[in-house]
Amino acid sequence: MDANAVAELEKAGVKVDQPDRLYVAVEWEDGKRVLPVGQRAQVRDGELLAHVTLQPISKLWTGSTVPPSFAKAPPPEYHPFFMLIEATAAGYCRAVRNTETDQEFERLYRHLLRRPDGTDRNPLFSYLQGAARLYMSLRDVSQAEFEAVIDRLQKSAKHFQTHVGSINYFQEVLRGVLGA
């Protein structure tokens, strides 16, 4: 958790006690090119937009909580974490008017798992990373919990892949998150 980020968001009027209502919104350079999320992220809470400074993921790990198995459905206490990341993914696809393939989502989640503070050529990576950073700024999350959530997201994207170019993860999971 990051008390500075919480205070920054509260000052802007963001409801930090409901992270499942938030997502990292796309920012544009000259209305043409997506700006990757850097140190600051644009957060959407309903109609409200606010900017917040976020720490790297590795600086946000807190405690040593061991998550339960996510082999089936994740327990309800983890749903807001999943929701924030998937709402960010859905919002990104809607904003750029491009649906990433199941294979690309799987690759991006796998990369986030391996290199949580890394970079990628696809700007969506920085938004997925920003969503994790935002959630982890609002709630205590151990490294094991972070890894379990991202691993489950990667496995979900892989599960929905039926062929090269399939977008089933978006159609079956993400579309309903924001009504994308």
Side-chain angles (χ1 to χ4, degrees), residues 116-168:
D117 293 334
T119 59
D120 191 83
R121 69 187 181 281
N122 186 334
L124 174 55
F125 177 79
S126 71
Y127 284 85
L128 299 173
Q129 186 182 59
R133 291 165 55 206
L134 175 59
Y135 184 84
M136 295 169 72
S137 295
L138 303 176
R139 300 287 184 272
D140 288 341
V141 177
S142 70
Q143 182 175 352
E145 289 175 303
F146 165 80
E147 290 172 353
V149 167
I150 302 306
D151 182 58
R152 181 67 169 101
L153 288 167
Q154 184 251 322
K155 287 177 179 168
S156 290
K158 184 176 184 172
H159 168 78
F160 283 100
Q161 184 178 346
T162 56
H163 60 278
V164 173
S166 67
I167 58 169
N168 298 322

Side-chain angles (χ1 to χ4, degrees), residues 68-84:
S69 171
F70 291 169
K72 295 187 180 179
E77 62 266 25
Y78 289 92
H79 290 181
F81 197 176
F82 283 94
M83 181 62 89
L84 201 156

Side-chain angles (χ1 to χ4, degrees), residues 45-67:
D45 178 4
E47 295 301 312
L48 178 67
L49 281 174
H51 284 86
V52 63
T53 303
L54 298 172
Q55 298 293 321
I57 289 172
S58 61
K59 294 201 186 286
L60 292 167
W61 287 320
T62 305
S64 57
T65 301
V66 177

Side-chain angles (χ1 to χ4, degrees), residues 5 31 33-34 37 63 81 99 110 113 122 138 153 157 163 165:
R33 188 177 75 83
V34 173
V37 176
F81 197 176
T99 302
R110 186 174 53 249
L113 186 60
N122 186 334
L138 303 176
L153 288 167
H163 60 278

Side-chain angles (χ1 to χ4, degrees), residues 6 9-17 22 43 45 48-50:
V6 170
L9 289 167
E10 285 177 335
K11 185 177 179 182
V14 174
K15 294 180 178 95
V16 297
D17 61 330
L22 309 176
V43 177
D45 178 4
L48 178 67
L49 281 174

